[in-house]
Amino acid sequence: MSMDMDMDMTGTTSDDCYASNIPWLQTMAYCIQQNCNADGYSAQKQAKCFRTQAVASAPEPTFQDSLPDTAPTVELSEDAMWLNVTSVVNRSTYYATYGTLKEFARSEYIHTRYSVVLYLIVIGICIGSGILAQTRSAFPGFQMQLNNSTLWAKLQQYIFLPALFGSRRLEPLPGHIGYLPGRTLSIFIGIYLVLNVILSSVSFRNFWPNTFFASPQFEMCEYVGNRTGTLSLVNMSISILFAGRNNILIAVTGWSQTTFLTLHRWTARVATLQAVVHSIAYTLAYFEPGYSGVTGYAAEAAKPFYWWGIIATIAFCLATAFAILPLRIKFYEFFLITHIALVILTLIGCWYHLVPHFGYAYGYQVWLYIAFAFWSADRLARLVRVAYYNRLGSSTAIVEALPDCDIMQVTVYPRVTWGFGPGQHSFLYLPGLGKFWESHPFSIAGWKRQGQSPLTASTSTFLSDSTAKGQKEMGSGVVSLATGLDSRPNSTARKRQATLPRQTQTQDSASIQFLIRVHSGMTSKLQRRLFSSSPRSSMEISVYTEGPYAGHRATFQPLFVADTVLCLVGGIGITNALGFVQEYTSANLERGEISEKSRGITKKTKRFILAWSAREMALIEYVKQNFLVQKDNVRGIEYSFWCTGSANTAAQKLDSINDESQNAESLTPSTTAAVTAGRMDIGTVIRSSLEAGHQMTVLVYGPSNMADAATRQVVNCVKDGFRVDLVEEAYAW
C-alpha cells in the first residue's frame, strides 16, 4: 500500500491522540518556549497557548511537564508529513504560519476597531447634539445668551437654518427623485459618508508567504470583503435604530422622526453598498491566481452559508430599491409590507450566513445581536404602549364628518390618560376596519382632561350638534356657522336624541381630538364606514391608541425664551398647531380660570400669532368655532386666516359667513378674525410680526413648500439682525 493510500485511509488525528503523543507535545512546547521567549511573551501566556493549541484545552499534560529535557537538534523539513521524534519546527514554516496568523488577527482587530469607531462617532454626534438641546431647554438663561451672541446668529444664518443649495429642504426634487437635506443634516450625512469611505479603504496590507491564501490578490479580497461586510452589519444596526418609533435619540436630540428617517435611508444605502462590495470582493477572489475560477466559485456558492449570504444581499438591495420616493408616495402600503418582509429576510440571511459557518470566533454575530435588539425593542415598546394605554382593551372613539370637506374629527376617550401636551401625535389602530395590525400616526389637535371644562363653549357640543345650521345650542349660547351634511329638522332631532346619552356619559371624561384628512387606505375605509352608518355624520367605534409620541422639551426649546411665537400653518397642518394654541390659551386667559403658566412651554411668550391658510372655508370655520377661544378673552393672541379655494367659491363662502355672523352676533362669541381670500404671503406675515429687541420663534406646520419658503424668510430676517428661531414639523415621505 502506498503512503498516499495509507494517508487517505487514516482519519483525522483526534485530540486525545495529540494529548498523549510525546513527540508532538515536546515539539510544540519547545517551539512555543523558543519563539515566545524571543518575542517577550510571559510564561503564563505561553502556558495558555500550549493548553489551547496543543492539548485542546485539556488540563493535562501541562506546558512545563511537556518541555523536553534536552533541546532537540533535528529540524523538520518544509514538506514533512509525519512527526515521530521531538524536533525543531522548520523556521520557514514557522515564519509563514506565524506571519499569516498575525496579519489575519491584525486585520480582524482593525475591522472591529473601525466598527466601534464608526458607532461611537455617529451615535456620539447625536448624543452631543442632544446634550446641547437638553442644556438649552433646561437653562433658558443659557439659551438667551446664545441668541444674543453674534456667533450663534452666524451659525443660524449659514449652518443651522439654510438649505444645502437653493431653497429646497423638505420639498421633493424635480421628478420626485428624493429630498435634499438641510445644510446641518447634509453636513452630518457628508461626515458619515466620508467616514465610511475611509474606514472601508485604509489599513490593508499583505503578508507573504501565506499559509491561508494561494495569492496576495485573494488575501486582499478576503480582507476587503471582511471589512465591508462588518461595516455593513454596523450600518444596518444603526439604520434599524434610526427607523424606530421609540428611538430614544428622538427624545434626547429633539430631532423630528422625519430627520431620523432621512438618516435611516442614508445609513441603509451605505450598508447596502458595503454588502454589495463584500459580495463582489469574495466573488473576484475565486478568479485570482491560484484558484479555479468558475468551478471553485460554484463549489463555494453551493454551501448553505454562501447562498444564505447571496439571499441576504439580494433582499437588502431590494429593500433599498423599493424605498425610492415615488414608490413610497404612490404605493405606501405595498412599500411598507415589502420593506418589513425584506428586512426580516435580510437579518435571517445574515444570521445563517455567519453563525453556522464561522461560529462565534470573530464576533460578527455581535452586530447582528445589536440589530435584532433594536428591532425587537421597538416592536416590544409598541406592544407595551398599546397594552398600557388601552388596559388590554379598546378605547371608545366618536367619528364625525366635517361638513363640506373631506375631513373627519375623531374624538378618543382613552382608558388611560397621559400628560397631554402640544406637538404630540398618536398611532391609531382601527381593528373594526379589517386590518387589526394597521396603524397610522395622527397629530393631536386638542385634549380635555378628566373633569376639565372645555376652553371653547362650542367644543362641548361636538360636531353632531354643529350640523344643525343656525340653531341655538341649549345652555351654551353658541350658534354654529358650519353647514351640515343633513340639515333637515327631523334628521337633526333624531341625531340629537342619539347623541345626548353619549354626551352625558362622556362629558366629564378625558378625551383627545384628531382632525383627519381622508386619503386612500385606512382613512378612506373609515369614511365609507361612517357614511354607511346611521346617522351618516357620526358613529362610535373601537380604537386602540399607541402613543403619545413627540412633544419633547428638546424639540421645542426655542419656545422657552420666545417673546413672540408665530405659528405658520398650511391646510390640515392646523392639527399640529392647535395644541400650541391650547397651551398658550390655557396660560393666558383673561379670567385666569385655568393657569398653566408655571409649567407651559410658552410661559415667557407675550404674543402668540396664528396665521393659517387652508383651501376649505368649512374647515376654517369649524376650527374657529370649536377649537379657538375668542381672542378678546386671551391676552396677546392674534388670528389671521386665508382661504385658498377657487376665487368664486371663496368669495361666496365669505359673504355667506359674514351674513350669518351678523345674524348670530348676539348669540355667538367670535374669534373676530377676518378670512382673506387667496394665498398667505409668508414673507409679509413674518416681517410684520417682528419686533426689534424681541426674540421670535416661528413654528411651521404645513406642506413642504411652505416650510421651505418660511425657512428662507427666517434666514433673511436673521441676516437683517433680528433674533428669530425656527421649529418646523413638515412630514416628508
Side-chain angles (χ1 to χ4, degrees):
M1 181 179 292
S2 69
M3 181 67 70
D4 291 339
M5 292 181 63
D6 188 39
M7 286 174 60
D8 290 340
M9 294 179 66
T10 7
T12 303
T13 306
S14 66
D15 292 338
D16 291 338
C17 182
Y18 278 121
S20 59
N21 187 275
I22 300 301
W24 162 260
L25 296 173
Q26 291 184 345
T27 299
M28 279 291 291
Y30 183 76
C31 176
I32 291 172
Q33 184 186 59
Q34 182 186 37
N35 291 285
C36 289
N37 282 340
D39 291 334
Y41 290 103
S42 65
Q44 184 179 4
K45 289 187 176 181
Q46 294 178 34
K48 181 179 179 180
C49 176
F50 179 83
R51 186 169 62 252
T52 56
Q53 300 296 326
V55 295
S57 300
E60 293 182 349
T62 64
F63 171 64
Q64 292 296 332
D65 292 342
S66 300
L67 286 170
D69 296 330
T70 58
T73 56
V74 178
E75 181 176 339
L76 291 169
S77 62
E78 289 189 47
D79 57 350
M81 300 296 295
W82 299 96
L83 180 63
N84 296 318
V85 295
T86 302
S87 307
V88 177
V89 172
N90 182 271
R91 191 64 190 168
S92 298
T93 302
Y94 175 83
Y95 173 77
T97 304
Y98 177 76
T100 299
L101 291 172
K102 184 177 180 180
E103 183 57 37
F104 184 82
R106 188 198 75 89
S107 178
E108 290 298 315
Y109 170 75
I110 293 293
H111 302 337
T112 302
R113 185 172 68 177
Y114 285 177
S115 298
V116 174
V117 166
L118 177 61
Y119 232 107
L120 292 178
I121 291 178
V122 173
I123 304 301
I125 290 175
C126 295
I127 294 176
S129 300
I131 292 173
L132 177 60
Q134 296 292 340
T135 303
R136 292 170 64 192
S137 63
F139 303 101
F142 172 69
Q143 171 68 20
M144 294 177 68
Q145 289 180 351
L146 284 179
N147 292 340
N148 292 328
S149 68
T150 304
L151 175 60
W152 188 258
K154 293 296 183 184
L155 289 174
Q156 281 190 304
Q157 181 179 341
Y158 296 107
I159 303 295
F160 296 152
L161 296 178
L164 181 60
F165 303 111
S167 61
R168 289 179 183 265
R169 297 166 67 252
L170 295 171
E171 186 178 4
L173 295 169
H176 284 83
I177 60 174
Y179 297 98
L180 190 62
R183 192 166 296 176
T184 306
L185 188 57
S186 295
I187 291 174
F188 183 13
I189 294 173
I191 293 173
Y192 168 76
L193 293 177
V194 170
L195 186 63
N196 271 278
V197 170
I198 293 174
L199 296 181
S200 299
S201 309
V202 300
S203 302
F204 294 110
R205 67 188 189 193
N206 291 107
F207 178 83
W208 202 255
N210 197 292
T211 59
F212 281 3
F213 311 111
S215 68
Q217 295 90 336
F218 190 103
E219 181 186 14
M220 187 57 61
C221 287
E222 171 96 6
Y223 294 155
V224 171
N226 287 353
R227 175 78 60 79
T228 53
T230 304
L231 291 177
S232 178
L233 293 175
V234 172
N235 286 307
M236 179 171 62
S237 65
I238 295 175
S239 180
I240 291 174
L241 169 65
F242 287 167
R245 295 178 189 174
N246 296 278
N247 174 12
I248 192 173
L249 293 176
I250 295 177
V252 172
T253 61
W255 299 350
S256 67
Q257 190 171 21
T258 297
T259 297
F260 275 103
L261 287 177
T262 301
L263 293 173
H264 159 72
R265 286 189 284 270
W266 279 99
T267 51
R269 290 163 187 160
V270 171
T272 303
L273 181 60
Q274 288 169 332
V276 171
V277 173
H278 167 80
S279 300
I280 292 174
Y282 267 100
T283 301
L284 292 177
Y286 290 94
F287 295 88
E288 299 297 340
Y291 294 88
S292 53
V294 174
T295 305
Y297 177 78
E300 194 73 8
K303 298 177 181 179
F305 92 96
Y306 207 97
W307 50 257
W308 269 114
I310 295 174
I311 290 173
T313 302
I314 293 174
F316 209 174
C317 291
L318 290 176
T320 304
F322 287 166
I324 58 175
L325 182 59
L327 191 63
R328 297 201 307 270
I329 293 176
K330 294 182 179 180
F331 308 102
Y332 180 76
E333 298 297 337
F334 169 78
F335 152 74
L336 187 62
I337 294 173
T338 56
H339 197 69
I340 294 174
L342 288 170
V343 169
I344 292 175
L345 181 59
T346 300
L347 291 172
I348 293 174
C350 288
W351 177 265
Y352 285 105
H353 175 62
L354 295 173
V355 176
H357 184 71
F358 298 102
Y360 305 94
Y362 304 112
Y364 301 141
Q365 77 285 350
V366 171
W367 306 112
L368 275 179
Y369 290 155
I370 295 174
F372 289 145
F374 286 153
W375 193 89
S376 302
D378 183 65
R379 264 58 187 181
L380 178 61
R382 296 183 190 184
L383 293 176
V384 170
R385 283 178 180 268
V386 172
Y388 176 76
Y389 287 113
N390 298 277
R391 282 290 188 265
L392 303 179
S394 62
S395 300
T396 300
I398 307 300
V399 183
E400 303 168 286
L402 270 66
D404 298 337
C405 57
D406 242 4
I407 295 174
M408 299 174 290
Q409 176 173 310
V410 177
T411 304
V412 177
Y413 300 93
R415 286 174 170 262
V416 176
T417 59
W418 61 77
F420 301 113
Q424 294 179 342
H425 66 268
S426 180
F427 286 80
L428 299 184
Y429 296 80
L430 303 174
L433 298 183
K435 296 181 180 179
F436 65 88
W437 64 87
E438 185 177 4
S439 67
H440 291 278
F442 299 103
S443 299
I444 297 175
W447 61 88
K448 184 174 74 71
R449 294 181 174 86
Q450 188 168 5
Q452 180 185 28
S453 300
L455 293 178
T456 57
S458 56
T459 306
S460 62
T461 65
F462 295 96
L463 183 62
S464 58
D465 291 320
S466 70
T467 57
K469 180 180 178 181
Q471 288 201 8
K472 182 177 179 180
E473 195 66 52
M474 294 180 61
S476 65
V478 174
V479 173
S480 171
L481 302 181
T483 303
L485 288 172
D486 187 351
S487 58
R488 292 174 297 177
N490 291 340
S491 173
T492 303
R494 287 194 301 269
K495 186 189 309 177
R496 189 179 300 278
Q497 292 173 1
T499 59
L500 185 59
R502 182 182 66 214
Q503 292 176 13
T504 302
Q505 180 182 0
T506 60
Q507 61 184 353
D508 293 329
S509 301
S511 64
I512 48 179
Q513 290 82 40
F514 303 88
L515 293 178
I516 300 173
R517 185 179 293 282
V518 177
H519 294 285
S520 59
M522 187 177 82
T523 55
S524 177
K525 188 180 296 185
L526 179 61
Q527 186 188 53
R528 291 196 299 269
R529 178 71 61 86
L530 172 61
F531 287 166
S532 65
S533 65
S534 179
R536 295 177 66 247
S537 60
S538 176
M539 73 172 181
E540 181 176 313
I541 60 170
S542 295
V543 62
Y544 290 87
T545 59
E546 181 199 324
Y549 289 96
H552 306 295
R553 287 179 58 91
T555 304
F556 302 116
Q557 40 84 16
L559 294 173
F560 287 88
V561 296
D563 300 300
T564 301
V565 173
L566 170 61
C567 197
L568 295 175
V569 185
I572 198 62
I574 191 64
T575 56
N576 300 74
L578 287 174
F580 294 94
V581 176
Q582 180 172 338
E583 175 87 357
Y584 181 83
T585 300
S586 299
N588 291 275
L589 283 174
E590 290 288 357
R591 298 186 305 272
E593 294 176 357
I594 304 174
S595 178
E596 298 179 3
K597 194 80 171 178
S598 60
R599 57 191 177 90
I601 62 175
T602 58
K603 59 185 178 182
K604 189 179 181 295
T605 304
K606 301 297 188 296
R607 186 182 178 205
F608 190 102
I609 306 166
L610 173 64
W612 177 28
S613 175
R615 67 173 181 262
E616 303 100 334
M617 182 61 69
L619 174 60
I620 295 175
E621 286 303 316
Y622 177 73
V623 169
K624 287 171 63 177
Q625 294 298 315
N626 291 274
F627 287 92
L628 302 181
V629 176
Q630 184 180 6
K631 66 179 185 179
D632 292 339
N633 294 332
V634 183
R635 293 181 292 270
I637 200 164
E638 302 173 28
Y639 303 126
S640 297
F641 307 102
W642 286 262
C643 181
T644 60
S646 62
N648 292 335
T649 304
Q652 293 172 5
K653 199 71 176 178
L654 281 170
D655 292 339
S656 174
I657 294 299
N658 291 333
D659 292 341
E660 291 180 0
S661 298
Q662 292 174 2
N663 294 335
E665 186 175 359
S666 62
L667 297 174
T668 308
S670 171
T671 58
T672 62
V675 180
T676 305
R679 292 187 176 276
M680 180 198 309
D681 187 331
I682 295 176
T684 301
V685 172
I686 293 177
R687 289 284 177 174
S688 65
S689 305
L690 292 170
E691 296 179 78
H694 286 70
Q695 177 70 37
M696 184 171 81
T697 296
V698 179
L699 298 174
V700 184
Y701 296 101
S704 53
N705 57 348
M706 181 182 190
D708 289 345
T711 301
R712 185 168 58 251
Q713 295 298 330
V714 169
V715 171
N716 291 335
C717 292
V718 174
K719 288 181 181 178
D720 294 339
F722 291 99
R723 287 157 43 193
V724 188
D725 216 330
L726 179 70
V727 176
E728 59 187 2
E729 187 67 35
Y731 177 77
W733 289 91

